[in-house]
Amino acid sequence: MVFRSLTAALLRLMVLGPCLSAAAWAQGDNALNRVPHDIQAGDYTLRFLEDPEIGFVDTLQVMRGGEVVFETLFEAFVHMVEEPPGSPDGVLPLGLDVDATGDGRPDFVLQSYSGGAHCCYYTQVIERQPELALLAEFDGSDSPVELVNLDADPALEVVLYDWSFAYWKAPFSESPAAKVILDLQDGVYSGAVELMRQPAPSAALLADQATAARKAMLAAKGPTSALWGPMLDLIYSGNGDAAFDLLRRAWPAEVPGREAFLVQFGAQLSLSPYWETLSLLNGWTTDF
Ligand SMILES: [Ca+2]
Ligand SMILES: [Ca+2]
């Protein structure tokens, strides 16, 4: 008997738990006096909740028939919500009727911005059907994420920049970021190796880049992003061999530390979230 009562009490607690949390959340929400900013999207209302104390949006609710059917953390400046759908600076950079996944059903593509000291642009793909669900969130870091169709597949590809070398041996203003393309395969976004691949650079272009990098390194008496910026662009387009050729040709004999630089560069590159894609793209099977 005692056991049954305990079980029943526990079950009741388990059932009540989420209701209590939701009530507490709603109460907290009211207490904080969030300011709603609504955008109508067919049967849906996208309700962006602003914390008026900081003048910044922190939550997105998707409503249908007066009910909240989806809710997520979502940070953005209020002016981003006020931009018309389709504005690249707004929360709906692709408008309201975009089919990101290429299945013929519209999705929400939403751009957020964390603001403050933590930069950062994020883009969410939320499928509306068969039910509202967050399919993916892309971290654009210091630059916006773009969704565009780059191939025969109707799904949009994701174009963003890898900021793994931000502040690496250089101030932010001199930090390079290389382009990455992701595509949707079996419901998951991953590195689009063949879309990222570019033809090998011409000898003339490589010679020009080597001359420019050498000049910058002689002036700085050490490596600068005039060297590793072009190296990254080459690596992110499947031309890793040309990148290391550039290093050999650009590095002035008067500047010490070439091998140490190469080890540090490789270590930093291996921290990239796209390291596996880069390895596939360049045919790297071992660390260099
Ligand atoms: Ca879709
Ligand atoms: Ca496509």
Side-chain angles (χ1 to χ4, degrees):
M1 254 334 247
V2 172
F3 174 76
R4 273 185 63 188
S5 306
L6 268 177
T7 310
L10 280 172
L11 273 173
R12 209 162 43 236
L13 267 178
M14 284 163 71
V15 171
L16 277 174
C19 302
L20 283 171
S21 309
W25 161 249
Q27 228 171 32
D29 204 25
N30 289 336
L32 287 168
N33 193 27
R34 289 292 196 275
V35 179
H37 299 267
D38 290 354
I39 296 177
Q40 282 306 129
D43 295 343
Y44 301 97
T45 303
L46 301 177
R47 174 159 290 177
F48 298 89
L49 297 176
E50 174 198 348
D51 178 348
E53 285 187 18
I54 54 171
F56 206 72
V57 170
D58 63 7
T59 304
L60 165 67
Q61 293 178 333
V62 182
M63 306 178 71
R64 193 175 192 185
E67 301 276 316
V68 176
V69 289
F70 181 83
E71 180 168 306
T72 183
L73 291 174
F74 189 93
E75 296 177 302
F77 293 106
V78 173
H79 70 75
M80 292 174 70
V81 180
E82 289 165 352
E83 289 280 340
S87 161
D89 301 322
V91 291
L92 289 157
L94 299 182
L96 290 167
D97 293 313
V98 60
D99 174 18
T101 60
D103 63 356
R105 303 187 291 207
D107 312 298
F108 292 123
V109 173
L110 292 155
Q111 175 171 248
S112 62
Y113 186 76
S114 62
H118 304 286
C119 58
C120 284
Y121 291 95
Y122 294 89
T123 292
Q124 296 179 346
V125 176
I126 298 174
E127 291 192 287
R128 293 185 216 182
Q129 296 162 334
E131 57 186 41
L132 279 154
L134 179 63
L135 175 67
E137 182 173 50
F138 306 105
D139 178 358
S141 192
D142 292 288
S143 54
V145 177
E146 273 189 282
L147 273 80
V148 282
N149 196 2
L150 299 175
D151 59 14
D153 175 329
L156 303 185
E157 280 68 48
V158 177
V159 181
L160 48 78
Y161 289 84
D162 182 357
W163 286 96
S164 295
F165 280 75
Y167 298 106
W168 189 73
K169 297 181 183 288
F172 182 75
S173 59
E174 289 168 29
S175 297
K179 188 163 89 173
V180 172
I181 303 172
L182 310 175
D183 64 3
L184 186 59
Q185 293 160 353
D186 301 325
V188 178
Y189 288 90
S190 49
V193 168
E194 291 318 315
L195 291 173
M196 289 172 70
R197 191 181 302 286
Q198 297 290 324
S202 68
L205 176 63
L206 211 57
D208 284 352
Q209 287 180 331
T211 303
R214 173 183 289 266
K215 198 174 154 192
M217 288 174 68
L218 283 170
K221 299 185 170 60
T224 81
S225 58
L227 172 67
W228 69 80
M231 283 178 69
L232 289 173
D233 287 339
L234 288 167
I235 289 168
Y236 282 63
S237 59
N239 293 296
D241 289 347
F244 299 116
D245 193 22
L246 175 64
L247 171 80
R248 280 188 293 273
R249 291 163 67 169
W251 197 285
E254 307 85 310
V255 174
R258 193 181 82 167
E259 297 313 310
F261 168 83
L262 192 54
V263 169
Q264 290 164 4
F265 176 82
Q268 189 67 21
L269 192 61
S270 72
L271 297 176
S272 162
Y274 309 105
W275 170 248
E276 266 186 52
T277 298
L278 300 178
S279 298
L280 278 172
L281 184 55
N282 289 284
W284 294 336
T285 48
T286 55
D287 293 340
F288 56 84

